[in-house]
Amino acid sequence: MTVILNTGCGNLNSVRFALERLGQTVEMTADKATILSAERVIFPGVGSAEYAMEQLRQSGLDTLLPELSQPVLGICLGMQLLTDSSTETTETVTKTLSLIPGQTEALSNEGVRLPHMGWNQLQTISDHPLFHGITQEDFFYFVHGYGVKPSEYTIATCEYGQAFSAAIAKQNMMGVQFHPERSGLSGEKILRNFLEISA
Amino acid sequence: MLAKRIIPCLDVKDGQVVKGVRFRDHKIVGDILELAERYVEEGADELVFYDITASSDRRVVDKSWVEQVAKVLNIPFCVAGGIKTVDDAATLLAMGADKISINSPALADPGFIRTLVNTFGQQCIVVGIDSYFDIETQQYQVYQYTGDPSKTQKTRWLTQDWVQEVQTLGAGEIVLNCMNQDGVRKGYDLAQLSAIRTSCKIPLIASGGAGAMQDFADVFRNTDVDGALAASVFHSGQIAIPQLKSFLSQQSIQVRP
């Protein structure tokens, strides 16, 4: 069974419906035993990193996530929270989960409008199984003002005034900056690929 | 490259999709789910559902269909109309709406925009602006309660000032509905959209006036808006989205096929 972490923030239903369209049985929960026994875990989130981290601490999910050995897919803010830190403003740095090395920083607005909102293509795509069958022709739906710079953990990049990680991965931890649940057939392909990845 | 978005708008009244000319004399053009699914198949990039009676009738948007829509759509959608409280917004977002759009309530209390942004994040807060070119004063003026002609009224805001204020309050996107053009299908208001574009640093969506495929090419080429919204030309079948997209693509305007 696939579990969607009930992080207490963001639009959880759209992820659930996307998986149900693929014929999956899905549970949305913050219950530790259920999460630990799940085949795979989806970690969605929108909004501010600071608020989301607070929610995770309150439900104890911040200490549970590092224990997971099954495939985990962070979506949008969920992906960003997998990195080491998030710079919400120039003054505040929020410490995040440190499950995939990297920092989440504000995108530069030089020559582009923020937030980066809409359908964009990928610049580089690795052979990571999450991107099986995906090409540079595919479009994905992005909505974000923060991003993770490309690094050795980047498995796909996107270009919007600057290159940033469209997806990152380290072992069982994966994250996508775009919203596969709202990215039409291309997004469905990503979700199907995730469902085929085993621990 | 970020694609220009084609956004059909489904005006909803009593659970049905309607679209009037100049907001009057509504006629029913279809079932919500039926239209939504048709647009996904055709390649719409996003959908807007707008309850046109909600604000002026002082009742909240009928929400029962939002979850049904979220179940069938694999593209983003926005719900507009009658969202007056944080709870209204929370309910719609929890049901699966990706964005919510506010108009009259933002004019009544501009701080509401900031409250929503702080609660849900900038990415899902859209502000709709109904703008009318006043020939006497030669200025663009913001109107409210445009869902009902008997309640429609001019506000104290010039459009350019309100656009500035909305950005300062943290909104993630603006839909600019150019009322002089709405429903007459003579093209988008290029002069106004160009003027607003220069001061609008967040995504800007053009609304009002689409009548032909060339109108979409003109608005993207001349005003650099991020998306173009239209209703009747799509609902009537006069413009089919796949043809529109290949037309735009041939003119080197980046769209998602």
Side-chain angles (χ1 to χ4, degrees):
Chain A
M1 191 188 53
T2 302
V3 156
I4 298 172
L5 292 191
N6 189 346
T7 48
C9 60
N11 179 342
L12 305 173
N13 259 339
S14 60
V15 179
R16 173 163 73 97
F17 294 147
L19 291 164
E20 286 175 352
R21 284 195 295 273
L22 299 178
Q24 290 290 303
T25 311
V26 190
E27 189 163 343
M28 292 199 288
T29 184
D31 177 67
K32 288 184 186 179
T34 313
I35 295 165
L36 283 168
S37 66
E39 272 176 82
R40 46 184 68 77
V41 174
I42 293 191
F43 177 30
V46 293
S48 91
E50 198 180 343
Y51 177 76
M53 281 306 295
E54 185 51 42
Q55 297 294 114
L56 291 180
R57 275 189 290 272
Q58 278 178 20
S59 53
L61 291 175
D62 63 324
T63 53
L64 180 70
L65 271 154
E67 290 175 35
L68 299 179
S69 55
Q70 57 271 66
V72 175
L73 179 65
I75 297 176
C76 198
L77 180 65
M79 170 194 120
Q80 296 177 355
L81 295 179
L82 295 175
T83 68
D84 296 310
S85 64
S86 177
T87 311
E88 289 278 316
T89 68
T90 44
E91 297 90 49
T92 349
V93 176
T94 303
K95 198 179 155 356
T96 48
L97 297 164
S98 292
L99 295 171
I100 302 177
Q103 279 84 41
T104 300
E105 294 167 348
L107 293 176
S108 158
N109 65 355
E110 212 167 298
V112 290
R113 290 185 281 270
L114 294 179
H116 174 219
M117 187 188 292
W119 297 81
N120 211 333
Q121 289 167 307
L122 304 178
Q123 232 27 51
T124 58
I125 304 166
S126 73
D127 58 2
H128 192 282
L130 198 59
F131 285 87
H132 183 76
I134 298 291
T135 73
Q136 290 174 330
E137 300 296 304
D138 288 292
F139 277 88
F140 295 92
Y141 187 72
F142 290 86
V143 189
H144 61 121
Y146 295 84
V148 180
K149 286 206 179 87
S151 74
E152 60 184 293
Y153 300 99
T154 299
I155 55 170
T157 61
C158 179
E159 178 85 24
Y160 184 66
Q162 59 231 285
F164 63 88
S165 300
I168 53 177
K170 186 188 173 192
Q171 292 149 358
N172 64 315
M173 294 288 166
M174 292 158 259
V176 288
Q177 181 62 72
F178 52 86
H179 287 270
E181 76 279 14
R182 284 291 183 252
S183 294
L185 297 175
S186 303
E188 282 182 17
K189 213 178 273 179
I190 297 280
L191 290 175
R192 275 184 214 280
N193 288 341
F194 176 68
L195 295 171
E196 279 171 18
I197 296 172
S198 46
Chain B
M1 207 173 143
L2 192 63
K4 297 296 186 187
R5 283 177 270 158
I6 301 297
I7 309 171
C9 175
L10 292 81
D11 287 1
V12 176
K13 191 176 185 184
D14 301 324
Q16 290 284 340
V17 173
V18 295
K19 177 63 189 179
V21 176
R22 290 184 190 267
F23 293 116
R24 286 163 208 265
D25 197 21
H26 297 123
K27 62 175 182 189
I28 295 167
V29 294
D31 172 73
I32 297 180
L33 291 181
E34 189 184 294
L35 271 166
E37 283 185 294
R38 188 182 116 193
Y39 285 131
V40 170
E41 282 166 24
E42 288 200 340
D45 297 308
E46 191 171 325
L47 294 177
V48 173
F49 296 91
Y50 176 34
D51 191 320
I52 48 174
T53 52
S55 269
S56 43
D57 282 0
R58 297 180 182 279
R59 66 177 161 94
V60 87
V61 59
D62 173 18
K63 301 180 184 84
S64 56
W65 48 271
V66 174
E67 194 168 83
Q68 297 306 313
V69 167
K71 281 182 183 168
V72 302
L73 287 193
N74 61 10
I75 60 168
F77 74 100
C78 177
V79 177
I83 299 155
K84 296 188 199 67
T85 65
V86 169
D87 280 352
D88 294 340
T91 306
L92 294 169
L93 292 169
M95 281 180 163
D98 298 277
K99 307 178 192 179
I100 49 143
S101 180
I102 54 168
N103 188 328
S104 302
L107 289 160
D109 172 19
F112 186 44
I113 298 173
R114 176 152 283 158
T115 306
L116 290 174
V117 169
N118 289 343
T119 313
F120 304 107
Q122 184 193 27
Q123 78 290 334
C124 59
I125 308 304
V126 180
V127 175
I129 301 177
D130 289 320
S131 177
Y132 191 81
F133 183 69
D134 188 330
I135 294 166
E136 275 177 37
T137 62
Q138 291 288 301
Q139 283 183 308
Y140 293 105
Q141 193 85 37
V142 177
Y143 275 67
Q144 63 181 347
Y145 302 124
T146 55
D148 181 342
S150 69
K151 292 175 187 158
T152 298
Q153 56 184 236
K154 192 156 129 179
T155 69
R156 64 192 174 90
W157 291 96
L158 290 180
T159 306
Q160 67 214 31
D161 297 338
W162 182 231
V163 165
Q164 199 53 53
E165 180 71 7
V166 161
Q167 291 181 85
T168 305
L169 292 167
E173 182 165 270
I174 290 173
V175 175
L176 187 67
N177 182 42
C178 307
M179 293 172 70
N180 308 66
Q181 307 298 114
D182 194 72
V184 298
R185 303 195 188 184
K186 293 201 170 139
Y188 290 97
D189 188 339
L190 302 180
Q192 177 171 201
L193 288 160
S194 301
I196 295 299
R197 173 79 282 177
T198 56
S199 63
C200 183
K201 307 295 180 206
I202 57 176
L204 177 66
I205 307 299
S207 166
M213 294 204 288
Q214 189 60 43
D215 297 337
F216 289 85
D218 289 344
V219 80
F220 289 131
R221 175 134 318 126
N222 298 324
T223 74
D224 193 28
V225 290
D226 297 276
L229 183 146
S232 50
V233 285
F234 294 138
H235 302 332
S236 66
Q238 189 197 333
I239 294 179
I241 293 172
Q243 279 77 359
L244 172 60
K245 287 197 164 181
S246 57
F247 176 80
L248 294 173
S249 199
Q250 280 159 20
Q251 304 202 25
S252 306
I253 295 165
Q254 174 83 54
V255 288
R256 181 181 72 110

